[in-house]
Amino acid sequence: MTEISLQKSTVADDRKVRLKQAVDTVNQILLGKEQQVKLAFSCLLARGHLLIEDLPGVGKTTLAHALATVIGAHYQRIQFTSDLLPADILGVSIYRRDQEKFEFHPGPIFAELVLADEVNRATPKSQSALLEAMAEGQVTIEGDTHILPKPFIVIATQNPLDLVGTFPLPDSQLDRFLLSITLGFPAPEVERELLTAIDRAIVLKDTSALISPVDVLELNKDCQEIHISEALLDYVQALLAETRNNRWFQTGLSPRAGIALLQCCKAYAFLNDRDFVVPDDIKAIFPALARHRITVPHGMEIAVEEQISGLLNQVAIP
Amino acid sequence: MKTLSTRDLKRNAILWVIIALSVTTIPHFIDMPAILIPITLVPIAWRLLAEFRNWKPMPLIFRVFATVVAVSVLVVTYGGLMGRRAAVSLLVMMLALKLLETFSIRDARIVASLCLFLCATQFLFSQRFAMVFYIVACLLSTLIALMYLHRQEAYLPIHEAPDTGRSMFTELGFGLRLLLLAFPIGLTMFLLFPRWSSPLWGVPEAALDARSGLSNSMTPGSIQNLFMDDSPAFRATFQGSVPNNVFMYWRGPVFWDFDGQTWQSSYLSRNLPAETKPSLADAQFRYEIQMEPTEQHWIFALDYPAMVPKGTRLTMDYQLVSRRSITQLRIYPMASDPAFQDSPELKNTLLRAALETPVGYNPRTAQMMSEWRAETSSDAEIIRRALAYFNQEEFHYTLNPPLLSRHTVDEFLFETRRGFCEHYASAFTIMMRMAGIPARVVTGYQGGWYSGIGSYVLVRQSDAHAWSEVWIKGTGWTRIDPTAAVAPDRVEQGAMNSLAERRHLLDFEWLMSARNTLDLLQRGWNNWVIAFGADAQSRLFTIFGWGIFDSARLIIAMMSIIMVAGTAIFLLLPFFFRFRAAREQDAVLKLWQKFIRKLEKAGFTAKPSMGPIELGTLAGAQLEFAANRIEQITELYIRCRYSKNTDGREKLTELVRDFKPQTAA
């Protein structure tokens, strides 16, 4: 009995060590973005889909690739364009004359990790094909339901909405993404390093997988053990209630967003070597969780990020 | 050194506090000694400059010095700190000086709140309707100031309120909404708060809004001064018919004794009560008088008063004299019988008094009267001749009569021939006495302005008038108005219309009629607000069936209510704060709060929205010498509070107790 549990814990420890290595590796590829990398891993551990939103050229795709590589998942990359069709994502049934029947050819969506690059450049029809798969974990084509592999994680990147030639994702579909992160320009010294060091693409090629998709599932189970206290729930509720005060946002966060917040916070605390969640975790996760789910009231000339930090500064920690 | 922090006042907040204080202070300047005005203005100006030049607060020593100097000047000026005016001036000055150190929200709020108090003190000096505008101005500016202050304070944790296009008007609107909510409570207090029929402590040093009015003596020029004053003397609301202007003689002080210069009331007239009184049944006019305070004892009625209001007496020459001087608005019902016969028989003492003339004065008049007397024995003929004399000779009714010296009547009758009603009344009365006809001078008001909207007669100080009464055997005292012989317009249309010249620079007819119309507001204010004293309150209570509440019982009732309510609140308070209390019972949280207080003493500013790790990191960075301890405590705290494993409280207690950042510094 003791031996088994001991064994169990060594396995768990090993997983955790490899997770740390994975995080460090990604940090070596994407320089100076420790916080964003931590958020991205929290999202993965919570088995949520990640949205990376920023200007072209700041490392969105690099981050997505690095994550995919260290997880060692079977991954597919879909470059979204305006002429992309749903069938290009989901797959098609083709008539086989020799067998006199239709045979399904699965599309790129049938992978453990899907990189949806520049997701807002495709038409809404194609976007919805991806987003439905994200919500259901399965796709239905011509009456047949095809189960997607487990874990199934989508990392999507998108350009800011005001760039030409984009179709903004509808609010209901944005909700499928657990976290939405931005990278921002690198700090000057980091930028100098980027300019002088070797190409990131080459670094990526040399990178090998450190954890497996199965590990992700197991790590997710480990995260469920993280304790959440009553005092913390008080704080989460206070935050959720404050988002529904219409001086901040048009509509507040839903209970589903609240559950997602706790899931993410558990993963974040796990990454920080803690077996319980503290308010600081919530404050770290909250902006990434909220920024794509809520909008600033009409007529208020203020960025949603500013509103969120204003709100966090307003709610006292009980 | 003072560093700028979020607790510092925003510019718009302090500016509105200064505006509120200035608005509130302005009327106080009117009655303050001139030397105190600069002492009040300098701090206000300093604070204004400090705002725009970013000056630091004045050093304490200088503030103390300024206060000592200011208070000394005040004490020297008033000769002490006793009395309303001195006390209020002290308040004005200290509030202005408070601005020297008003650099935080708390101080500014104190100043703004005291502005409201200062505004209320103005009621100790005046309760006129114009005060309503003053209150509104104070209230609005103070409300805006308070709104800015409270908003700034409410958003302190996030430095700045989110800007949603708020302006002075939205702040004001919000303030007014709150005020509207408070209105029912205010109204209830106004109606129910115990009122006393007399002040608890002595008589006020001076009456509110008292106008000199008619005085207890008459010298040439005394009524003429009143004539410049357009403030209301009283208002009469008639039931039924309103008498013609020609008959509206409002009786006031009656004078018997003349010393050559001045008319005075006689000892007898002051002390003898009226023997007969007009009966109420015969009274032709019934009305109610709302009289402005005068600080004198006379109350006014049309000839002849058939009622004696409470607290007054009727003298033998039918003056109504109040026992107490009229120091506040007085409302009394009155009835008059103009047909009443005043003293058909006259006692010898009074007869002598009514015939007396000062010896050695006015020889020419005496000579003329004895000539007239020689020509006729009829009193009526002499009276007619005297009036005709005024009417036919070159007499002028004017505001600017030449000065008279020793023989006032002689000079007036034969030389200057220019005068105002008191000249005519005085001269006529002396003429009658010299001809052997008993006569006396009556002062009061004549006419009035009938307000069609309010259906009442407004009598102003400028309606003051003087006339004569002669005693004719069998008929009794008869009113003779010599002014009417010179200027009949005076009696028919009022004094203003009978003068060719303007009284002063702003004496326009349209202005006068506007003021007459606006008097309706003053009357309503008097009726509904000022007149609501102890009597009105007890009448109100009678309506509700609480007639048993006299002022003593009312105080007891109020005290009981306050005690019961206070006890109830005290007992229920724990329930209101139940949730908060439950949270505070959390011992770990208490320790954490204690820790934060210690950090704050050491100079660290904690915000309620800081997470424990964030707080620990920031505090550690600021208080480097204690960084290890801070980290230790923070680690233990989050473990105790947020993890499954909560033991370690003892250790935390110990750590927090021994944590002494301020001594290490």
Side-chain angles (χ1 to χ4, degrees):
Chain A
M1 194 64 184
T2 338
E3 202 167 307
I4 293 171
S5 64
L6 200 70
Q7 219 174 351
K8 228 178 166 180
S9 81
T10 37
V11 172
D13 286 347
D14 172 54
R15 260 202 309 273
K16 204 164 174 184
V17 169
R18 283 187 285 120
L19 174 66
K20 291 268 155 172
Q21 286 170 351
V23 174
D24 291 343
T25 310
V26 174
N27 273 330
Q28 276 158 24
I29 295 166
L30 189 76
L31 299 171
K33 298 288 171 199
E34 284 81 6
Q35 185 58 22
Q36 280 88 341
V37 170
K38 214 182 236 179
L39 288 175
F41 270 97
S42 309
C43 182
L44 293 183
L45 293 190
R47 291 179 61 192
H49 308 292
L50 180 66
L51 180 66
I52 309 172
E53 188 176 19
D54 218 320
L55 295 165
V58 290
K60 291 191 302 284
T61 315
T62 309
L63 174 60
H65 268 220
L67 285 172
T69 311
V70 294
I71 291 174
H74 166 61
Y75 82 88
Q76 290 279 4
R77 178 183 164 154
I78 312 170
Q79 179 64 48
F80 277 50
T81 55
S82 52
D83 55 358
L84 187 81
L85 294 173
D88 298 335
I89 301 170
L90 303 177
V92 281
S93 292
I94 294 171
Y95 184 70
R96 292 279 297 263
R97 196 175 293 172
D98 50 341
Q99 291 173 12
E100 294 195 345
K101 65 170 186 181
F102 281 93
E103 195 184 77
F104 179 64
H105 286 250
I109 193 103
F110 289 88
E112 286 154 340
L113 193 71
V114 176
L115 289 188
D117 221 358
E118 301 188 69
V119 71
N120 59 343
R121 288 185 61 190
T123 52
K125 196 174 175 183
S126 307
Q127 286 173 0
S128 66
L130 172 75
L131 295 159
E132 276 175 80
M134 286 163 64
E136 316 277 332
Q138 61 185 33
V139 287
T140 304
I141 300 158
E142 289 160 19
D144 294 328
T145 301
H146 305 271
I147 305 291
L148 294 171
K150 269 187 183 170
F152 172 70
I153 292 168
V154 174
I155 299 176
T157 69
Q158 81 168 6
N159 291 327
L161 302 177
D162 48 356
L163 288 187
V164 179
T166 59
F167 298 91
L169 295 174
D171 286 354
S172 60
Q173 299 191 343
L174 276 173
D175 199 31
R176 312 278 184 249
F177 290 101
L178 182 57
L179 292 189
S180 144
I181 60 175
T182 57
L183 294 171
F185 292 114
E189 60 275 13
V190 174
E191 191 159 28
R192 172 62 69 101
E193 207 178 328
L194 279 175
L195 293 173
T196 52
I198 42 169
D199 189 2
R200 296 291 110 187
I202 298 164
V203 183
L204 253 177
K205 245 176 212 163
D206 295 340
T207 309
S208 55
L210 288 161
I211 46 175
S212 65
V214 181
D215 284 334
V216 172
L217 293 177
E218 289 299 318
L219 284 166
N220 177 255
K221 275 184 197 156
D222 293 342
C223 289
Q224 299 310 316
E225 303 294 313
I226 303 287
H227 178 66
I228 288 179
S229 65
E230 290 289 321
L232 192 91
L233 288 177
D234 284 348
Y235 179 51
V236 171
Q237 279 198 304
L239 269 183
L240 292 179
E242 188 65 25
T243 62
R244 291 161 198 162
N245 177 341
N246 59 12
R247 85 186 144 105
W248 300 104
F249 307 112
Q250 209 138 313
T251 49
L253 286 177
S254 62
R256 186 163 72 190
I259 294 166
L261 176 64
L262 286 181
Q263 288 298 323
C264 250
C265 285
K266 283 176 176 177
Y268 190 81
F270 183 78
L271 280 168
N272 280 327
D273 286 328
R274 255 187 281 108
D275 58 355
F276 54 91
V277 181
V278 294
D280 296 86
D281 300 336
I282 307 247
K283 285 182 81 173
I285 294 289
F286 188 78
L289 182 106
R291 62 180 290 275
H292 60 293
R293 290 173 208 258
I294 41 188
T295 47
V296 176
H298 289 301
M300 243 169 138
E301 292 289 319
I302 188 164
V304 70
E305 286 84 358
E306 274 176 56
Q307 278 293 79
I308 291 171
S309 72
L311 180 141
L312 283 174
N313 282 328
Q314 178 75 342
V315 177
I317 291 181
Chain B
M1 261 337 270
K2 192 176 181 329
T3 51
L4 285 176
S5 81
T6 48
R7 294 207 168 260
D8 284 321
L9 278 168
K10 288 264 177 52
R11 177 159 296 172
N12 50 15
I14 184 65
L15 286 186
W16 274 103
V17 170
I18 293 173
I19 290 171
L21 182 64
S22 313
V23 168
T24 316
T25 314
I26 286 169
H28 289 277
F29 283 155
I30 297 167
D31 294 314
M32 266 164 79
I35 190 169
L36 298 180
I37 294 173
I39 298 183
T40 312
L41 288 178
V42 164
I44 297 180
W46 182 87
R47 185 62 186 86
L48 212 55
L49 276 175
E51 181 56 34
F52 288 106
R53 306 226 166 143
N54 292 320
W55 289 346
K56 296 249 157 66
M58 279 205 179
L60 178 68
I61 179 79
F62 193 86
R63 278 178 276 153
V64 171
F65 177 72
T67 312
V68 170
V69 167
V71 174
S72 318
V73 172
L74 182 97
V75 169
V76 170
T77 318
Y78 282 104
L81 282 174
M82 297 297 288
R84 275 183 298 179
R85 188 46 82 184
V88 171
S89 300
L90 181 70
L91 184 63
V92 170
M93 250 173 41
M94 294 307 279
L95 255 185
L97 285 169
K98 175 78 186 164
L99 281 183
L100 293 183
E101 56 174 15
T102 300
F103 283 84
S104 70
I105 294 179
R106 178 186 156 276
D107 287 334
R109 197 171 45 216
I110 291 175
V111 174
S113 313
L114 281 173
C115 279
L116 291 175
F117 182 70
L118 189 64
C119 166
T121 61
Q122 190 63 27
F123 275 101
L124 295 173
F125 306 104
S126 176
Q127 298 182 345
R128 312 201 133 265
F129 181 71
M131 288 288 293
V132 172
F133 297 104
Y134 169 65
I135 296 169
V136 168
C138 289
L139 210 58
L140 294 188
S141 49
T142 315
L143 266 182
I144 296 174
L146 282 173
M147 283 308 299
Y148 274 121
L149 289 172
H150 281 279
R151 194 176 292 282
Q152 199 195 330
E153 190 167 45
Y155 284 96
L156 263 190
I158 55 165
H159 295 269
E160 206 159 320
D163 183 31
T164 45
R166 229 175 279 102
S167 75
M168 177 186 122
F169 294 104
T170 49
E171 299 288 15
L172 186 60
F174 189 62
L176 287 178
R177 282 219 303 275
L178 293 179
L179 206 61
L180 199 65
L181 288 177
F183 182 74
I185 302 173
L187 188 65
T188 314
M189 291 304 269
F190 175 77
L191 293 176
L192 298 186
F193 197 81
R195 285 161 192 276
W196 285 266
S197 39
S198 58
L200 276 180
W201 46 85
V203 180
E205 53 193 274
L208 295 176
D209 306 307
R211 295 298 175 148
S212 49
L214 291 169
S215 68
N216 54 2
S217 66
M218 188 185 86
T219 31
S222 59
I223 292 181
Q224 186 185 318
N225 290 338
L226 267 187
F227 185 60
M228 308 299 289
D229 182 1
D230 277 331
S231 63
F234 55 88
R235 301 171 185 80
T237 314
F238 284 88
Q239 297 164 358
S241 60
V242 178
N244 190 305
N245 253 13
V246 179
F247 300 114
M248 273 204 274
Y249 280 85
W250 307 92
R251 198 178 183 85
V254 180
F255 300 122
W256 295 70
D257 297 348
F258 187 58
D259 64 0
Q261 297 289 332
T262 306
W263 283 92
Q264 273 171 340
S265 63
S266 82
Y267 174 81
L268 291 174
S269 112
R270 275 199 306 271
N271 291 292
L272 288 183
E275 281 172 4
T276 55
K277 203 178 85 168
S279 83
L280 198 54
D282 295 339
Q284 195 183 335
F285 301 114
R286 280 161 190 274
Y287 47 95
E288 190 185 66
I289 302 245
Q290 183 197 76
M291 187 178 160
E292 298 279 345
T294 56
E295 287 192 312
Q296 302 285 351
H297 291 266
W298 290 278
I299 67 171
F300 297 91
L302 287 177
D303 278 344
Y304 285 93
M307 283 172 89
V308 182
K310 224 172 93 187
T312 56
R313 63 197 167 83
L314 192 60
T315 64
M316 64 81 165
D317 44 13
Y318 300 94
Q319 310 172 46
L320 278 166
V321 181
S322 165
R323 233 162 258 139
R324 254 193 223 128
S325 62
I326 320 276
T327 52
Q328 52 191 4
L329 189 80
R330 180 114 171 221
I331 294 176
Y332 52 90
M334 187 46 68
S336 294
D337 176 15
F340 176 72
Q341 244 187 0
D342 177 6
S343 321
E345 295 297 324
L346 202 60
K347 283 185 190 138
N348 277 337
T349 42
L350 292 177
L351 204 60
R352 268 203 304 279
L355 282 170
E356 202 175 322
T357 52
V359 182
Y361 286 89
N362 308 315
R364 291 167 71 186
T365 313
Q367 195 194 346
M368 181 170 82
M369 292 323 290
S370 60
E371 279 168 16
W372 287 11
R373 183 43 96 185
E375 284 166 33
T376 176
S377 60
S378 158
D379 289 351
E381 179 57 32
I382 287 182
I383 294 165
R384 200 166 45 246
R385 193 164 169 184
L387 289 178
Y389 181 78
F390 283 128
N391 186 252
Q392 282 153 17
E393 299 289 324
E394 273 290 300
F395 279 96
H396 295 279
Y397 182 64
T398 173
L399 257 183
N400 303 307
L403 283 174
L404 302 173
S405 53
R406 181 180 160 86
H407 302 290
T408 50
V409 178
D410 276 6
E411 285 162 29
F412 174 66
L413 282 181
F414 302 109
E415 287 159 26
T416 66
R417 292 188 169 182
R418 293 166 165 273
F420 206 58
C421 59
E422 67 254 47
H423 295 93
Y424 292 96
S426 169
F428 181 81
T429 309
I430 290 300
M431 283 163 79
M432 289 301 110
R433 286 185 175 187
M434 284 175 165
I437 304 169
R440 64 191 182 192
V441 170
V442 183
T443 56
Y445 297 89
Q446 201 280 321
W449 179 81
Y450 180 73
S451 162
I453 312 167
S455 315
Y456 69 99
V457 174
L458 165 68
V459 179
R460 297 181 177 282
Q461 294 296 355
S462 53
D463 290 319
H465 193 47
W467 59 92
S468 297
E469 280 182 341
V470 293
W471 186 79
I472 297 161
K473 199 171 167 65
T475 323
W477 287 103
T478 310
R479 181 173 64 225
I480 307 284
D481 189 351
T483 313
V486 183
D489 292 350
R490 164 68 187 89
V491 180
E492 282 155 24
Q493 294 166 18
M496 244 74 72
N497 296 328
S498 55
L499 281 173
E501 68 238 85
R502 263 197 275 153
R503 288 175 302 157
H504 45 79
L505 210 58
L506 292 172
D507 192 16
F508 299 108
E509 200 161 326
W510 60 267
L511 192 68
M512 199 60 208
S513 64
R515 287 186 64 166
N516 281 338
T517 314
L518 281 177
D519 182 72
L520 206 63
L521 294 174
Q522 175 72 46
R523 177 168 172 262
W525 170 254
N526 282 351
N527 270 338
W528 291 101
V529 182
I530 303 297
F532 191 80
D535 293 346
Q537 194 177 37
S538 73
R539 274 203 297 279
L540 180 78
F541 285 165
T542 319
I543 295 172
F544 288 121
W546 305 337
I548 51 153
F549 286 111
D550 55 14
S551 28
R553 285 206 183 119
L554 198 61
I555 295 165
I556 294 168
M558 283 294 286
M559 296 295 262
S560 326
I561 291 172
I562 289 170
M563 276 176 71
V564 168
T567 317
I569 288 171
F570 184 75
L571 290 178
L572 291 177
L573 217 54
F575 293 97
F576 291 134
F577 292 104
R578 197 178 51 188
F579 291 107
R580 191 173 290 180
R583 245 182 269 150
E584 274 166 3
Q585 271 160 15
D586 189 339
V588 176
L589 187 57
K590 266 192 177 166
L591 285 172
W592 180 246
Q593 282 161 350
K594 190 174 165 192
F595 170 65
I596 292 177
R597 277 197 297 276
K598 284 190 172 182
L599 285 178
E600 278 178 338
K601 260 187 208 156
F604 175 72
T605 321
K607 281 192 277 169
S609 67
M610 281 182 181
I613 297 177
E614 180 188 6
L615 192 142
T617 317
L618 288 176
Q622 192 184 323
L623 312 168
E624 273 175 54
F625 52 88
N628 280 338
R629 268 301 159 94
I630 291 171
E631 199 189 331
Q632 220 178 340
I633 292 174
T634 312
E635 278 289 310
L636 196 57
Y637 164 71
I638 59 170
R639 192 158 289 284
C640 288
R641 186 123 199 269
Y642 294 107
S643 82
K644 252 189 238 170
N645 172 12
T646 53
D647 34 273
R649 193 190 295 169
E650 287 75 23
K651 175 86 173 134
L652 184 64
T653 315
E654 206 175 292
L655 281 174
V656 171
R657 192 186 56 216
D658 297 341
F659 180 66
K660 290 193 175 79
Q662 64 274 43
T663 50

